[in-house]
Amino acid sequence: MDIIGRERELEALRQAIDRAPGALPNVVLHGDPGVGKSVLLTAGIGYARERGLRVVGGSGFESEAQLAFAGLHQLFAPVMAYLDKVEPFHRDTLRRVLGMSEGPTPDRLAVSVASLAVMARVAEDGPVLIAVEDAHWVDVPTREVMMFILLRLHPYDLRAIFARRPLTATERVTPGINMIEVHPLDEEASGRLLDLLHPDLPPSVRARVLEEAAGNPLAITELPQSSAGVEMLPAGTPLRTRLETGFAGRLLQLDPHVRETLLVAALDGDRLEHRAELTPYELIEVERAGLVTRDSTPSGLRFRHPLVRSAIMKTASPEETRGAHATLAEQHRADPELRMWHLAAATVEPDEAVAAEIEKAAISVSLRGGSGLAVKAIQRAAELTPDPSARALRLGNAAELAGESGQLDLAQRLLDEARRHLRDPSRALALRAQILMLRDGDLDAARRLLRGSPGAGPLVRVMAASYAQDPAEWAEVGGDLAGCDDEHAKLLHDVFLGKGSAARVRSAFGDLPEDAPPGRVAALCRAATWLDLLSEYRPRIRALTEGEAGQGAVTHAASGFWLAAHDHFIAGRWDDAETAANAGLDLCVRHDLELLAHDLRCGLGWVAAARGDTESVREYSRTVEQWAAPRGSRLHLSLSARNLALAAMAHGDYEGAFAYWSEVGPPGAFPPHAAFAPFAVFDLVESAARSGRAAEARAHAEAATVLADRAPRVRLHVLAASALVAPDEEAVALFKNALALPRIERWPFDHARVRLALGELHRRRLQPGEARPELRRAADLFAALGATVWQRRAEQELRATGVAVSRRQGAAHGLTPQQLEVAELAASGLSNKEIGERMFLSARTISAHLYRIFPKLGITSRAALRDALDALDD
């Protein structure tokens, strides 16, 4: 195929398909309609087939964009036999997600890994090209799986080329994806193409076509054939409208039966197997009209361009469109989810049987991680429900799913509509309070809304009280819960107030079915957090973040990212904690989930504080406090104070740290409503002792002894705090008892700090032999974490015992290319913001990179970067 003016794009496709050295094995073509993406994709597919590659993939269809994993079904349809050639776990995962077998919906990571396993197995039998047209219409869950595969093509004989509409201003380009924008043709190439296709145009017409086409190949092809309808359009009419009008003019010249068949095909996602309903003569007429082209698809035909499909649908009357949807609903009886959308579009009058069928299919979609996709279907089911009370119930269901999926404004509108028909307003009140809390952080309004209905939203009331940390509010909520039958709400109430046990939480998780609502899972995981049990339920957290983040229960996915960040931080995986928190924060910002966004900012501040990044901690705390203070969210204020305190301690500012820790909880007391105070025992006692407040330190350590059984990590803190205030001869034994607790390696940061404190005690007692192993172990733990400031402190203590500690320049060879670029730009004097602008990263990400780079270079500040980098070159 001779393609004019696309040498650059064709070369990029050939390099990706040939896996040329230095070239990424993927290309994503994006550009305006008609600019030639499909032609290039077809050329790439032809080039691949000439070289013996197997081609799989398919096309995104607007009609299937609402069907979870419809695109994945297209991908695997020609290679379905390979499902039996991978591990049983992968096979079962894919069979469940493709609707081929029953069972709970697997999480998104399991689906992605299983999909990659199948494609890798296909590639063992020969090279494979994954080609996808109209990728923007591929359903969101499939897009996430395909992105996972695209980033992992290198180890396998796989490559991929996608075509999609232009990037929007808010879309981010994922590193590792070769995005190529297909621009309009230049003037010379446009003229050559026009002369090739329409050689006999008069000069005036030729000039006008080139001017109006503006380098768009489809326009160059079609405008000279435009009907009078196009000529009558006003000057300045968008090119898309002109092209659609041209196609529409040709459609109207066809027989009504042909148009009806084309409409059914267009609504069915370009499935031109409907050609069987046309005679050979009719097919020739459609092809001559320039509406379809012949290709290698199973039907042998396809619409010439997406604008043809658009023109077909726009020229059909509402009655014709409903009739086509009715035909498709009947044809897709074997596929309830696909039938659901056609049935919803085909039905006009209220019909309980149709409404119930749509609702049933929508619930199935939501259980497969598609809460956001199911909202529209249940909303339509409500519209088709004759009985007002049943309609209100369905609207309430739709509102709940909308709230879960982050569509808070829609949830509020659905809720307002449902309330007009609800006999029992408690459910609507609970959802309204939840929206107020999640979207605006309006804890006071949420509490007042529910206060008049004691039985309404017990779980929402408990969560609101946990953020407010108001003793009077807790007392009122506790009284209302006494007569409540929501055991999960009661459990969370008790855990937040220090009365819940690990056994109760484990029992509640044990009773939870695999397909439990994500809200219940998220709530129980929060309870597990305060009892140090979160690591036991990592699969549940992954199910929230991977199964709900796309078109699922977004609010609970955001909670899942916070839970994951917390778990990663405690376990010493700080890079992972930061990644999870940033992913959750992006999700919250997109969906206006202000409350959860500030949870995640507190988590990011925690990571920064432990690394000693005081500047970032202050930035996060300033943002959180400005938002939380007027809303009375004392939990956010406490977490912000925790972060500032920890950052101060990292740099030896114990006076400032004590003031911040005192905001978390008063010295010598542990009010039940101060949720985080038990986890700050060691810190407050250390800051008090080191700032000359021996009495406050002893009082707090003694008061904490009753907390030792609350959670394993709290026990470690309590023993270490007791050691800090004990006489030296007793302190050593207490520190050793703390370090002898089972599995303290689960908490490497806490572990390192306790060893540091013991090493410092030994050194003060002039026992260097006992101090050295503790300080060496502490320094190594801090280094592994990336806690550079704490590592420096441990190494300074080690030097004081007579050990020479070298700067770890050898570790610098572990810098990734991106980290090396960040280091060089920072060494040149650029700020984090300036570096971010050059590398298309946020200033927050640059800051995180630097705090990973410092320990690898054996330095602790930007000022030392240039010398450290110069040393690498020697």
Side-chain angles (χ1 to χ4, degrees):
M1 182 191 301
D2 185 17
I3 302 177
I4 295 173
R6 296 302 187 201
E7 291 76 15
R8 179 183 70 92
E9 293 86 350
L10 289 169
E11 180 60 24
L13 291 174
R14 285 192 287 264
Q15 288 192 359
I17 292 167
D18 291 339
R19 299 287 296 257
L24 288 171
N26 65 72
V27 172
V28 178
L29 303 166
H30 66 102
D32 293 327
V35 80
K37 304 183 298 296
S38 297
V39 172
L40 287 167
L41 185 73
T42 302
I45 291 172
Y47 181 82
R49 286 194 170 125
E50 288 173 4
R51 278 150 182 73
L53 274 71
R54 182 200 295 263
V55 179
V56 298
S59 178
F61 301 121
E62 186 175 2
S63 60
E64 292 191 352
Q66 308 283 354
L67 293 176
F69 296 113
L72 204 62
H73 193 278
Q74 276 195 69
L75 177 65
F76 289 128
V79 293
M80 200 67 78
Y82 283 86
L83 264 66
D84 294 325
K85 299 181 181 181
V86 296
E87 294 295 325
F89 172 77
H90 294 324
R91 181 189 64 238
D92 295 344
T93 294
L94 288 175
R95 287 184 65 84
R96 275 183 282 146
V97 83
L98 294 173
M100 299 167 62
S101 62
E102 296 182 353
T105 304
D107 64 61
R108 204 61 51 82
L109 179 62
V111 176
S112 300
V113 173
S115 300
L116 180 60
V118 171
M119 295 313 302
R121 181 63 187 84
V122 175
E124 289 178 9
D125 290 344
V128 176
L129 170 67
I130 303 171
V132 180
E133 188 169 9
D134 285 339
H136 53 277
W137 285 125
V138 173
D139 60 280
V140 172
T142 297
R143 264 187 271 165
E144 293 174 355
V145 173
M146 286 183 170
M147 181 62 71
F148 181 91
I149 294 174
L150 252 63
L151 294 173
R152 292 163 178 82
L153 296 172
H154 274 289
Y156 315 103
D157 204 354
L158 296 167
R159 63 280 288 150
I161 54 176
F162 286 16
R164 53 153 294 165
R165 66 186 174 193
L167 290 172
T168 64
T170 58
E171 284 185 271
R172 297 180 179 179
V173 176
T174 302
I177 302 299
N178 185 16
M179 302 291 296
I180 295 180
E181 183 174 1
V182 183
H183 295 282
L185 296 173
D186 61 30
E187 186 175 348
E188 186 272 335
S190 296
R192 280 200 291 141
L193 179 61
L194 182 59
D195 292 341
L196 177 67
L197 297 174
H198 306 285
D200 300 323
L201 289 178
S204 60
V205 176
R206 182 183 185 275
R208 182 182 173 190
V209 169
L210 289 175
E211 180 183 357
E212 293 190 0
N216 185 290
L218 181 64
I220 292 170
T221 305
E222 296 297 331
L223 286 178
Q225 308 174 70
S226 296
S227 66
V230 175
E231 298 296 328
M232 293 170 62
L233 291 172
T237 299
L239 181 61
R240 179 188 180 103
T241 302
R242 300 177 70 83
L243 292 171
E244 280 185 346
T245 303
F247 288 131
R250 298 177 212 171
L251 278 164
L252 293 174
Q253 297 172 13
L254 298 174
D255 184 83
H257 164 66
V258 176
R259 293 204 307 270
E260 180 183 336
T261 302
L262 292 177
L263 176 60
V264 170
L267 293 172
D268 201 21
D270 206 1
R271 290 187 176 88
L272 282 174
E273 55 263 30
H274 296 284
R275 61 176 293 186
E277 300 173 24
L278 300 177
T279 67
Y281 173 76
E282 288 170 335
L283 280 172
I284 292 172
E285 287 297 304
V286 174
E287 191 174 2
R288 282 177 179 170
L291 302 175
V292 300
T293 57
R294 296 189 179 273
D295 69 0
S296 58
T297 61
S299 70
L301 290 174
R302 59 174 297 160
F303 286 122
R304 187 172 179 193
H305 191 273
L307 289 179
V308 175
R309 292 180 62 244
S310 176
I312 290 170
M313 289 186 277
K314 286 186 176 179
T315 55
S317 70
E319 184 178 352
E320 289 171 334
T321 302
R322 286 194 295 270
H325 278 297
T327 299
L328 290 168
E330 191 62 30
Q331 289 178 359
H332 290 300
R333 278 192 172 276
D335 188 338
E337 292 179 19
L338 191 53
R339 172 176 162 80
M340 168 184 75
W341 298 109
H342 291 301
L343 203 57
T347 309
V348 178
E349 298 296 326
D351 187 322
E352 176 57 33
V354 171
E357 186 175 351
I358 293 173
E359 182 181 38
K360 182 179 178 181
I363 290 171
S364 175
V365 171
S366 70
L367 292 176
R368 292 175 61 203
S371 296
L373 299 175
V375 174
K376 194 180 296 183
I378 296 184
Q379 187 179 1
R380 180 62 178 146
E383 293 171 358
L384 296 174
T385 304
D387 180 62
S389 59
R391 185 185 310 129
L393 188 60
R394 284 182 173 133
L395 285 169
N397 291 339
E400 285 188 3
L401 288 173
E404 285 184 352
S405 59
Q407 302 174 76
L408 300 184
D409 290 338
L410 174 60
Q412 185 62 66
R413 290 198 302 272
L414 292 171
L415 195 59
D416 291 341
E417 187 178 349
R419 287 176 65 192
R420 294 199 295 268
H421 307 287
L422 283 174
R423 294 172 185 168
D424 178 12
S426 60
R427 183 181 177 192
L429 285 173
L431 183 54
R432 182 175 173 80
Q434 186 176 27
I435 292 171
L436 285 168
M437 189 168 68
L438 288 172
R439 183 178 58 197
D440 308 316
D442 196 342
L443 301 178
D444 184 58
R447 297 200 310 260
R448 284 190 285 108
L449 196 62
L450 296 176
R451 191 168 286 146
S453 302
L459 193 57
V460 179
R461 292 199 70 186
V462 170
M463 293 306 298
S466 73
Y467 282 102
Q469 294 191 356
D470 180 359
E473 177 67 16
W474 272 123
E476 186 176 325
V477 171
D480 290 341
L481 285 178
C484 170
D485 59 358
D486 189 333
E487 294 302 322
H488 283 190
K490 289 181 178 179
L491 176 58
L492 254 70
H493 170 272
D494 291 349
V495 167
F496 288 156
L497 290 180
K499 297 183 290 186
S501 67
R504 280 181 65 191
V505 172
R506 289 191 176 108
S507 176
F509 268 109
D511 293 339
L512 209 59
E514 283 297 319
D515 59 349
R520 290 292 182 184
V521 175
L524 280 182
C525 284
R526 281 196 179 254
T529 300
W530 297 110
L531 293 172
D532 271 334
L533 303 175
L534 198 54
S535 61
E536 299 178 19
Y537 303 105
R538 285 170 182 160
R540 290 286 191 178
I541 299 173
R542 282 198 301 273
L544 290 173
T545 58
E546 294 160 10
E548 305 295 344
Q551 290 289 319
V554 172
T555 55
H556 303 313
S559 290
F561 281 116
W562 177 84
L563 293 162
H566 185 97
D567 180 47
H568 288 316
F569 180 88
I570 297 299
R573 298 185 297 271
W574 290 357
D575 289 355
D576 292 339
E578 184 178 50
T579 299
N582 275 319
L585 184 56
D586 288 344
L587 195 65
C588 291
V589 170
R590 289 201 305 271
H591 293 279
D592 293 326
L593 301 172
E594 282 293 310
L595 185 84
L596 299 175
H598 285 85
D599 283 354
L600 289 153
R601 289 188 179 101
C602 288
L604 287 165
W606 198 14
V607 175
R611 286 175 171 154
D613 181 1
T614 305
E615 180 184 346
S616 294
V617 176
R618 287 174 179 160
E619 181 182 340
Y620 285 123
S621 291
R622 190 161 46 245
T623 302
V624 169
E625 290 169 5
Q626 287 174 353
W627 180 88
R631 290 165 174 80
S633 181
R634 292 185 182 88
L635 178 59
H636 284 114
L637 295 174
S638 294
L639 295 176
S640 174
R642 169 202 67 185
N643 297 342
L644 290 165
L646 186 58
M649 291 181 74
H651 292 280
D653 179 12
Y654 291 102
E655 187 72 33
F658 178 78
Y660 286 127
W661 285 123
S662 298
E663 292 179 25
V664 175
F670 293 91
H673 60 274
F676 189 75
F679 292 90
V681 171
F682 179 59
D683 304 275
L684 192 151
V685 170
E686 183 177 16
S687 61
R690 290 180 182 270
S691 61
R693 296 176 172 83
E696 286 94 333
R698 278 195 298 273
H700 203 65
E702 290 170 6
T705 55
V706 298
L707 303 175
D709 294 329
R710 177 169 292 191
R713 193 162 59 93
V714 174
R715 179 181 291 276
L716 173 66
H717 286 211
V718 169
L719 286 173
S722 299
L724 284 174
V725 297
D728 286 354
E729 57 276 8
E730 296 176 19
V732 172
L734 286 170
F735 273 127
K736 288 185 175 180
N737 288 342
L739 293 170
L741 290 173
R743 298 173 60 210
I744 64 166
E745 64 276 3
R746 290 177 290 172
W747 318 303
F749 187 53
D750 305 86
H751 180 188
R753 290 187 55 201
V754 174
R755 286 207 179 273
L756 174 61
L758 176 57
E760 289 172 332
L761 174 62
H762 280 311
R763 190 188 64 76
R764 288 198 306 271
R765 299 182 69 196
L766 304 179
Q767 297 173 324
E770 284 79 6
R772 288 169 191 146
E774 303 298 343
L775 295 171
R776 179 75 276 164
R777 179 70 173 130
D780 289 343
L781 285 168
F782 287 134
L785 288 166
T788 313
V789 178
W790 292 91
Q791 176 191 347
R792 180 179 63 185
R793 176 170 150 187
E795 290 176 344
Q796 285 173 342
E797 289 286 333
L798 202 52
R799 290 189 190 94
T801 67
V803 175
V805 181
S806 61
R807 296 176 67 192
R808 304 181 179 190
Q809 291 284 40
H813 298 292
L815 291 182
T816 67
Q818 188 177 57
Q819 287 175 339
L820 185 59
E821 184 178 1
V822 169
E824 288 173 344
L825 291 172
S828 72
L830 295 181
S831 68
N832 289 357
K833 183 178 179 182
E834 291 168 332
I835 297 171
E837 288 172 351
R838 288 197 180 194
M839 299 183 67
F840 301 101
L841 298 171
S842 69
R844 184 173 69 223
T845 301
I846 298 301
S847 175
H849 274 312
L850 287 171
Y851 275 87
R852 294 169 198 157
I853 291 166
F854 288 170
K856 290 184 178 183
L857 291 173
I859 61 175
T860 59
S861 69
R862 297 171 82 106
L865 269 172
R866 176 46 56 201
D867 290 342
L869 291 173
D870 289 343
L872 288 180
D873 296 331
D874 293 342

